[in-house]
Amino acid sequence: MPADDVLDRELAGLDQLELTTTTTRSFASRAWTATWPKLTAIGIVVLFWQILVWREWRPSFVLPGPADVARQLWEDLGTPELWRAIGYTMQRAVIGFALALVIGGIIGLLVSRSRILRIAIGSLITGLQTMPSIAWFPLAILLFQLTEQAILFVVVLGAAPSIANGIIAGVDSVPPSLRRVGRTLGARGIPLYRDIIVPAAMPAMLAGLKQGWAFSWRSLMAGELLVIIPGTQSLGTRLQFAREFSDTTSLIATMIVILVIGIAVDTLVFGKIERGVLRRRGLLVDDTAVTTSNRSSRRELASAAAGR
């Protein structure tokens, strides 16, 4: 038997010792694998919804069927009013989350560095995080009246504590050995945080950012329902007007848009960033690439040993 065939058979036996079996799949196959569980979950929800409609659990003008809502949603997507409302709401969301990120980030880093600040306001941050966003609106309206500032005030208060707590938890999770290594290499103060602590704490910080986004998005929707500014059209005002006119079909269609935007931001923005961070730390790797690399390395080592 040729030497190459013997080597291939031996390497094939070693390949069976891999913890996972990986195969090269097409993009369509990977996309289907990532999509079909979501489609199945959506199908179950829609089926349950349709069963309620068939059993006439509520009148059709109170609980319309999925087909009626889908038709209304398709019509709304073809109108510029919905897209203007989406754009206006997303503008508020970006501004509010950016302010919360700056404020929460500064507070989180300061508290994580100072023991006195942690004792003084550490529990206060957690208390603010657990406080319902809706409870801030009476104060926000008294302070800022029915203005954009009232909505942004509540969005920031809803998101900043979660971001600060995520940063504090991330810094606390950094192993002491990394800090000692950084100090041994001469890093002190800001360079130590910039080059050692913050990169090591990034996965936990990202979890705090995702939670902060969820709180800010929820606070924004509550704000747009309660604070309606004349001359503006947002997703919240569409919900409020649909409720006032008892237009349940448009109400549910708008709720679906809000849900899809929340999921899309979490998946396409935070999910992508999180995968990139985990991949750079070796916590999320391409198994196929690793297996191929391992096979190539073993072949080179085996060839070198045979040459000797």
Side-chain angles (χ1 to χ4, degrees), residues 174 191-203 205 277 281:
V174 175
L192 177 64
Y193 270 75
R194 183 190 62 226
D195 300 328
I196 304 296
I197 296 178
V198 171
M202 190 58 67
M205 289 183 178
V277 171
R281 282 157 175 75

Side-chain angles (χ1 to χ4, degrees), residues 61-83:
F61 64 89
V62 175
L63 182 64
D68 296 330
V69 174
R71 191 180 305 110
Q72 181 65 49
L73 178 59
W74 180 256
E75 293 176 0
D76 290 343
L77 291 174
T79 61
E81 288 79 9
L82 176 61
W83 294 105

